[in-house]
Amino acid sequence: YAEWKPAKGLTIRSNLGVVNASTRNGHFEDANTISRALSTGSLSSVANTTQTDLTWENIITYQRKFGDHSLNLMAVTSYLSNRSDNSSASGTGQLLAGQSFYALQNNPSNLAISSNYVGSNMESGAFRLNYSFKEKYLLTFTGREDGASVLAPKNRWAFFPSAAAAWRIIDEKFMKGIPVISDLKLRGSYGIAGNSAVKPYQTQSGVMLIPYSWNDVAALAYGLQPQIGNENLKWELTTTQNFGIDFGILKNRISGSVDIYDSKTKDLLYLQQLPTTSGGQSMLNNVGKTRNSGIEVSLKTINIEGKDFTWTSNITYTRNKERIVYLPTGNDIANSLIIGSPVNSFYDYQKIGIWQTVDATTATSFGYKPGDIRVLDVNKDGKITAINDRMVVGSAVPLYSVGFNNDFKYKSFDLNVFVYARVGQTFVSSYALKFEPNAVENGAAVDYWTPENPTNAYPQPDSKISRASLPFAT
């Protein structure tokens, strides 16, 4: 970096960072390896990768204090560049161990080569104004404009403004008569943030070689990759309002903060599944609008403060309500995007138990048998259908989260105990889905239904069960 201070309170600084890395990975397996038993015989391969990352920032800062007024101005420009290219070659049947992976052209079979290049840029310009009066009344204004090469050319640039204000009530004269309160501050903010977190070239439709046969002749031709490009990709924008209070009691023996926020996101970036008739499988798109609102509470206490021993605690509580507000085509059932529910929701049949032997007749009327999962007939028409009887049965977003952190210190020893809980969250357990009929590995202890064990937890194991007869994935 280089820094220059041409005048009082004025600083000009330039930061430059470069990461240039190259890796080489060679692989060879001689005759006495496990691969000798395979039809491919002894192996050899080589891979080369180079990575170059560049960061260049220019920062101008001006500070001035006159009387009760304090001013801090900052302007920033930045340029981020990422480049990566790699190549690899492989073959099988290496006959001369001494050649290792240095003579792949001599391998008699499965010769293959590949190469790849990925590049992206981000350019930004920003400013910030901090103003305070008597260090009690604080104002902040910021604005930045970013350009991301990963987005469509016509949508690469966006401007993000924000403003914040704070009032340090503790510094007011009328607070001098309340010694029990050691800190008190009110604050509020409003701003817009952007998200361009997409992979390079997702605005383009890629091609790949696909084998095909014509007139009994096998050949290769270029075809579209499963993920279709989107030439209209643009920034995902989030507008956030936040109101908070910071406080301290008993010389900050007890301190904390409370924040209430409301965030609205539009042009949400989401990978949509496409119908088969489109010729592709998925496409990244700006699909709609979402909203997050909630409260965050943080409390710190100094429980014991002695010469040799201290104990401090931090308690956090977060409650967030996420929901989709708008979709251009209404509910998107295929992608489980339901208006009024979180983005990562599970849209499925509602399990209400297991069909029991005493309910065999009723189960048959629905097309099931004892031991199958019993689901809710939402519209009570005596039939279970995908259109009328599915609903949002859970979400990956918890109702609330709680954290409890404790730090104990005794002379030169310290101990940290942290407990964290997420309540009201639904997730798919890969461990619970694993069934080991041959006991090759330890499986989960599952309370399966059997005629002798009429449980309502898990259905009767059946290797012949089809998806149609098992509509709910546990």
Side-chain angles (χ1 to χ4, degrees), residues 60-81:
I60 301 177
T61 306
Y62 177 70
Q63 299 181 18
R64 177 76 182 274
K65 189 171 184 178
F66 43 97
D68 294 330
H69 305 274
S70 180
L71 190 67
N72 185 304
L73 292 170
M74 179 182 288
V76 180
T77 65
S78 70
Y79 173 74
L80 305 177
S81 174

Side-chain angles (χ1 to χ4, degrees), residues 46-62:
V46 65
N48 298 284
T49 301
T50 59
Q51 176 78 33
T52 302
D53 299 326
L54 171 67
T55 302
W56 183 26
E57 298 175 331
N58 297 285
I59 306 168
I60 301 177
T61 306
Y62 177 70

Side-chain angles (χ1 to χ4, degrees), residues 391-454:
M391 58 190 295
V392 175
V393 296
S395 168
V397 180
L399 292 177
Y400 63 90
S401 302
V402 178
F404 186 33
N405 185 74
N406 291 273
D407 285 305
F408 303 91
K409 292 184 179 181
Y410 177 71
K411 293 185 177 181
S412 299
F413 299 91
D414 60 81
L415 172 68
N416 176 265
V417 179
F418 179 62
V419 179
Y420 183 72
R422 291 179 295 188
V423 181
Q425 180 186 28
T426 301
F427 64 95
V428 176
S429 171
S430 58
Y431 181 69
L433 287 173
K434 185 172 65 174
F435 176 58
E436 299 291 344
N438 299 319
V440 177
E441 297 179 8
N442 290 331
V446 180
D447 186 18
Y448 289 114
W449 183 97
T450 65
E452 297 76 25
N453 181 43

Side-chain angles (χ1 to χ4, degrees), residues 183-256:
D183 190 17
L184 187 61
K185 178 181 177 182
L186 287 177
R187 48 188 169 75
S189 63
Y190 175 88
I192 300 175
N195 176 24
S196 63
V198 301
K199 296 179 181 179
Y201 318 122
Q202 284 195 290
T203 60
Q204 306 172 16
S205 293
V207 294
M208 60 187 297
L209 284 173
I210 300 175
Y212 75 99
S213 296
W214 179 259
N215 284 343
D216 296 326
V217 177
L220 293 173
Y222 280 106
L224 287 176
Q225 289 183 340
Q227 185 171 321
I228 306 300
N230 184 353
E231 296 181 352
N232 298 311
L233 272 184
K234 55 186 177 181
W235 286 87
E236 175 185 296
L237 302 177
T238 299
T239 302
T240 302
Q241 303 175 66
N242 187 92
F243 298 96
I245 181 173
D246 301 323
F247 62 89
I249 303 173
L250 301 175
K251 296 182 180 181
N252 286 342
R253 191 74 180 252
I254 301 174
S255 60

Side-chain angles (χ1 to χ4, degrees), residues 230-444:
N230 184 353
E231 296 181 352
N232 298 311
L233 272 184
K234 55 186 177 181
W235 286 87
E236 175 185 296
L237 302 177
T238 299
T239 302
T240 302
Q241 303 175 66
N242 187 92
F243 298 96
I245 181 173
D246 301 323
F247 62 89
I249 303 173
L250 301 175
K251 296 182 180 181
N252 286 342
R253 191 74 180 252
I254 301 174
S255 60
S257 63
V258 179
D259 285 271
I260 299 175
Y261 63 88
D262 187 15
S263 297
K264 298 177 181 178
T265 301
K266 66 177 182 178
D267 301 324
L268 181 72
L269 289 168
Y270 191 81
L271 188 63
Q272 286 185 293
Q273 300 302 311
L274 300 176
T276 307
T277 52
S278 67
Q281 294 180 358
S282 61
M283 181 176 69
L284 191 66
N285 203 356
N286 299 96
V287 296
K289 301 177 181 178
T290 62
R291 185 175 182 180
N292 280 270
S293 56
I295 183 172
E296 295 180 352
V297 180
S298 176
L299 184 65
K300 179 181 179 180
T301 62
I302 302 175
N303 307 313
I304 300 176
E305 189 174 28
K307 180 180 178 181
D308 296 326
F309 179 73
T310 60
W311 171 27
T312 61
S313 298
N314 285 276
I315 303 172
T316 59
Y317 171 85
T318 302
R319 190 177 189 92
N320 178 67
K321 182 180 181 181
E322 177 189 316
R323 62 271 198 197
I324 298 173
V325 177
Y326 168 77
L327 290 171
T329 58
N331 291 338
D332 185 352
I333 304 300
N335 293 284
S336 296
L337 298 177
I338 310 299
I339 294 176
S341 298
V343 174
N344 295 318
S345 294
F346 297 92
Y347 190 78
D348 211 328
Y349 300 91
Q350 177 65 59
K351 175 192 171 188
I352 58 176
I354 304 295
W355 286 108
Q356 303 297 330
T357 304
V358 295
D359 302 315
T361 302
T362 307
T364 303
S365 68
F366 282 97
Y368 297 98
K369 65 182 185 301
D372 289 343
I373 291 178
R374 184 173 186 172
V375 299
L376 181 65
D377 182 10
V378 177
N379 64 347
K380 305 199 183 294
D381 62 351
K383 296 181 292 184
I384 302 298
T385 62
I387 297 178
N388 299 319
D389 297 305
R390 289 191 298 167
M391 58 190 295
V392 175
V393 296
S395 168
V397 180
L399 292 177
Y400 63 90
S401 302
V402 178
F404 186 33
N405 185 74
N406 291 273
D407 285 305
F408 303 91
K409 292 184 179 181
Y410 177 71
K411 293 185 177 181
S412 299
F413 299 91
D414 60 81
L415 172 68
N416 176 265
V417 179
F418 179 62
V419 179
Y420 183 72
R422 291 179 295 188
V423 181
Q425 180 186 28
T426 301
F427 64 95
V428 176
S429 171
S430 58
Y431 181 69
L433 287 173
K434 185 172 65 174
F435 176 58
E436 299 291 344
N438 299 319
V440 177
E441 297 179 8
N442 290 331

